[in-house]
Amino acid sequence: APTNRLSVLGSVDVSGNVGIGTVAPSAKLHVVGGGIMARLENIFGSSIVSLKPVVGGSGIIRFEDGISLGHIVYTHSINRMDFETSGVLRLVIDGSGNVGIGTPTPAAKLEIQEGDVYIDKNQGKLIMKSPDGSCSACGPDDSDNWTCSSVTCP
């Protein structure tokens, strides 16, 4: 007799939906319960969760609690990953590696729209590398004057 088996508490309906912990599954796999809802464990290395939509589609991880939504969306047709909270786009990584905060189309490696950038690290500085390869650290001094000085590039 075989020792491997599948035990399901729930139902499989005629449309092919599988329910675990529910008798009325509303998706291809519908899990209801408490604690850890799913666990993927690979004893030989990395565990991978793969979302494979149709060509040109999007892979979406959706977080919802009935009040607000959060999404991580990868749109294959434009090679862009979006991060949304409360149903609003907050951060984008585009196909060229540009990161946008507050903009869906970042025009530089980092573009921030409609917001401040706060650096708090014992007078943290903004380090910039010039075309000749030298670096400067700029930021406020003890009198809140903006100053720059040459530094070793990180």
Side-chain angles (χ1 to χ4, degrees):
T3 58
N4 296 330
R5 65 177 183 252
L6 174 65
S7 298
V8 177
L9 171 63
S11 66
V12 178
D13 70 19
V14 294
S15 67
N17 293 348
V18 175
I20 300 174
T22 179
V23 295
S26 61
K28 293 296 178 192
L29 176 61
H30 185 163
V31 180
V32 176
I36 297 173
M37 297 296 290
R39 181 177 178 153
L40 307 172
E41 187 172 335
N42 182 344
I43 61 172
F44 299 109
S46 300
S47 292
I48 297 171
V49 175
S50 177
L51 304 176
K52 187 177 179 186
V54 298
V55 173
S58 298
I60 302 171
I61 299 174
R62 182 177 181 161
F63 306 88
E64 61 181 298
D65 61 5
I67 299 170
S68 62
L69 296 175
H71 296 95
I72 300 172
V73 180
Y74 186 80
T75 305
H76 294 271
S77 61
I78 57 174
N79 292 318
R80 187 176 92 183
M81 183 161 297
D82 298 344
F83 295 83
E84 302 174 5
T85 61
S86 299
V88 177
L89 180 64
R90 305 294 182 174
L91 184 133
V92 166
I93 304 171
D94 72 14
S96 64
N98 290 349
V99 175
I101 299 174
T103 176
T105 54
K109 284 298 176 191
L110 176 61
E111 181 176 342
I112 301 170
Q113 286 191 3
E114 299 181 22
D116 297 328
V117 176
Y118 178 70
I119 299 172
D120 181 16
K121 174 114 173 140
N122 295 328
Q123 294 187 6
K125 304 283 185 185
L126 179 61
I127 299 174
M128 296 170 281
K129 188 173 186 178
S130 68
D132 69 5
S134 64
C135 287
S136 296
C138 300
D141 62 16
D142 290 337
S143 301
D144 283 335
N145 296 311
W146 188 263
T147 63
C148 294
S149 59
S150 293
V151 295
T152 302
C153 294

